[in-house]
Amino acid sequence: MAEIRETVILGSGCAGLTAAIYTARAGLKPLVLEGHEPGGQLSITTLVENFPGWPDGIQGPELIDNMKKQAQRFGATFELAHLNTVEVGAHPMRLHSSAGEIHARTLIVASGASARWLGLPSEQALIGHGVSSCATCDGFFFRGKEIAVVGGGDSAMEEALFLTRFATKVTVLHRREHFRASKIMLERAIAHPNIELRTNAVVEEVLGVEDKEVKGVRLRDVVNGETSNLAVGGLFLGIGHVPNAKMFEGQIDLDEEGYIKTANNVFTTRDGQVVLGVFACGDVQDRRYRQAVTAAGSGCMAALEVEKFLEEHGR
Ligand code: NAP
C-alpha cells in the first residue's frame, strides 16, 4: 500500500511553490509533482518587473528557483512527474502519476495553463520548424530573420520586444483593431523601431510545410476580406493559455473554458457540494488576473485552507 501523504501539490509554478513553502513550513511534508512544464510560465519568461520586493526586477527562472529552494528548506520534496488520472472521491484520494500511485488526504491543484495554439494544420506541422510559443526558449534560433508574432495581449508584446534582440523585424498580427495589452507594454512595442503592429489580420495558413521550414504566413484582412502573404522566417504565438485541468473532467466543476471553478479562490465544488480535500490555486482557476503575485497569493490561501481542513479532520 502506498504511503499516505498529508498533501500533494500538482504543479511547480508560482502558485504551487508558494503552496509548497506554506505547507512545508506547517510541517505537512508536501510532495510536489512538478508537471509537464516544471517552474510554470515564469520559468520561460525574462524580466519580471512587477513582483513586489524586486525594485530592479528579477529574471523569471531565478524567482522560481528561489521559491523552490525556499520550499525545500522547509522539507518539501519534488518529483519530476505528472498526474495521469485521479480518484477524487476516494479517501484518501488516489493519484495515478507517471511516478506511480500516490495516496493523499488533500490535493492542491496548481497545474496552471499551457500555451494556446491557433489549431491550423500547417501551424501544427511546423512546430519546432519555425513555429513556436516561447520566445525566450527559441528566439535565439531566429537571428537575422523577420518574424511574426500573433496576439494582441501582453504576452504578444513581451514576445515581440524580446524577439527584437535577434530578429531584423518583428510584425505583430492582431485579429481586431484594439489591443488587449496594458498601456505600458503597448507603448513600448509601438515605440520600437523594429516592431510593426498590424491589426485586423488573421493567420489563415503558415507557409512552408513542404520545405519543413516557415517561409511566411497567409493573412486575411477581417475588414475587407482580402488575403495577402507575409514573408517571415518564424511565427510565434502569444495568444494566451488554456487551463491544465482535463484530468478533473467529470470529477470537479470546470467552467465552459475548462478552468476549475472555485469559491474564494481556494476550494472546488461539485454539484454545489464542496469536494473534500481538493483545493485549486493559480492560473488553473484564474481567468481574470493571471499574475505571478496573484498566483502566489492564491497558493498561500490554498495552503492555509489545507491546514485548516486537516485540523478539522483531526490531523
Ligand atoms: P490575453 O491577455 O488573454 O491575450 C491573448 C491575446 O491573443 C488577445 O489579444 C486575443 O485576442 C488573442 N487571441 C486569442 N486567441 C486567438 C486566436 N485563436 N487567434 C488570434 N488571436 C487570438 O493573454 P496574455 O497576453 O497571455 O496575457 C495573460 C495575462 O498575463 C494578462 O493578465 C497579462 O497582463 C499577463 N502578462 C503580463 C506580462 C507583463 O506585464 N510583462 C507579460 C505577459 C502576460 P482578442 O484581444 O481579440 O481576444
Side-chain angles (χ1 to χ4, degrees), residues 30 41 166 196 286:
Q41 290 175 48
F166 313 103
E196 183 185 330
D286 177 15

Side-chain angles (χ1 to χ4, degrees), residues 100-150:
E101 188 170 314
I102 302 162
H103 294 179
R105 288 187 217 285
T106 62
L107 178 63
I108 297 180
V109 186
S111 45
S114 297
R116 173 179 282 134
W117 300 93
L118 293 171
L120 301 168
S122 53
E123 167 205 54
Q124 295 299 303
L126 289 166
I127 290 173
H129 301 278
V131 172
S132 168
S133 66
C134 178
T136 48
C137 317
D138 301 327
F140 180 79
F141 302 112
F142 295 83
R143 196 174 286 280
K145 294 191 177 177
E146 293 197 11
I147 295 176
V149 173
V150 186

Side-chain angles (χ1 to χ4, degrees), residues 50 116 118 150-155 158 174-176 180 185 238-241 289-291:
N50 50 11
R116 173 179 282 134
L118 293 171
V150 186
D154 280 338
S155 292
E158 189 178 56
H174 182 35
R175 64 181 175 182
R176 60 190 176 104
R180 192 179 289 277
M185 297 295 282
I239 59 172
H241 293 82
Y289 300 105
R290 299 178 290 182
Q291 302 298 303

Side-chain angles (χ1 to χ4, degrees), residues 68-308:
K68 186 172 176 179
K69 283 187 190 137
Q70 198 173 349
Q72 283 169 325
R73 182 159 80 85
F74 294 118
T77 50
F78 288 77
E79 186 100 50
L80 263 177
H82 57 268
L83 185 67
N84 293 322
T85 56
V86 55
E87 295 165 57
V88 163
H91 298 287
M93 280 171 250
R94 293 210 177 94
L95 314 178
H96 305 280
S97 84
S98 56
E101 188 170 314
I102 302 162
H103 294 179
R105 288 187 217 285
T106 62
L107 178 63
I108 297 180
V109 186
S111 45
S114 297
R116 173 179 282 134
W117 300 93
L118 293 171
L120 301 168
S122 53
E123 167 205 54
Q124 295 299 303
L126 289 166
I127 290 173
H129 301 278
V131 172
S132 168
S133 66
C134 178
T136 48
C137 317
D138 301 327
F140 180 79
F141 302 112
F142 295 83
R143 196 174 286 280
K145 294 191 177 177
E146 293 197 11
I147 295 176
V149 173
V150 186
D154 280 338
S155 292
M157 300 308 138
E158 189 178 56
E159 293 211 341
L161 287 160
F162 180 77
L163 288 167
T164 58
R165 297 184 192 189
F166 313 103
T168 48
K169 183 180 173 189
V170 179
T171 307
V172 175
L173 304 168
H174 182 35
R175 64 181 175 182
R176 60 190 176 104
E177 187 64 34
H178 298 287
F179 287 93
R180 192 179 289 277
S182 58
K183 196 163 171 279
I184 183 169
M185 297 295 282
L186 186 58
E187 280 174 357
R188 280 182 196 168
I190 290 170
H192 200 291
N194 295 349
I195 295 179
E196 183 185 330
L197 301 175
R198 254 168 97 163
T199 53
N200 299 315
V202 170
V203 176
E204 283 197 329
E205 192 186 347
V206 188
L207 309 172
V209 173
E210 312 75 43
D211 303 312
K212 287 202 162 58
E213 181 186 6
V214 171
K215 299 281 189 196
V217 286
R218 191 174 73 239
L219 300 174
R220 182 171 47 84
D221 184 314
V222 294
V223 177
N224 60 24
E226 281 175 13
T227 56
S228 61
N229 287 354
L230 175 71
V232 286
L235 180 71
F236 283 77
L237 284 307
I239 59 172
H241 293 82
V242 283
N244 297 321
K246 262 209 159 331
M247 58 282 208
F248 295 103
E249 264 173 12
Q251 300 210 58
I252 54 179
D253 271 355
L254 308 180
D255 72 11
E256 64 283 1
E257 279 185 52
Y259 287 87
I260 294 179
K261 280 190 186 173
T262 56
N264 305 329
N265 283 337
V266 286
F267 57 82
T268 62
T269 64
R270 179 191 183 184
D271 300 331
Q273 301 288 314
V274 174
V275 176
L276 296 181
V278 182
F279 304 83
C281 53
D283 284 10
V284 72
Q285 55 83 56
D286 177 15
R287 55 160 69 234
R288 188 177 170 88
Y289 300 105
R290 299 178 290 182
Q291 302 298 303
V293 69
T294 52
S298 70
C300 160
M301 290 156 82
L304 296 179
E305 292 296 325
V306 160
E307 276 184 59
K308 200 164 118 225

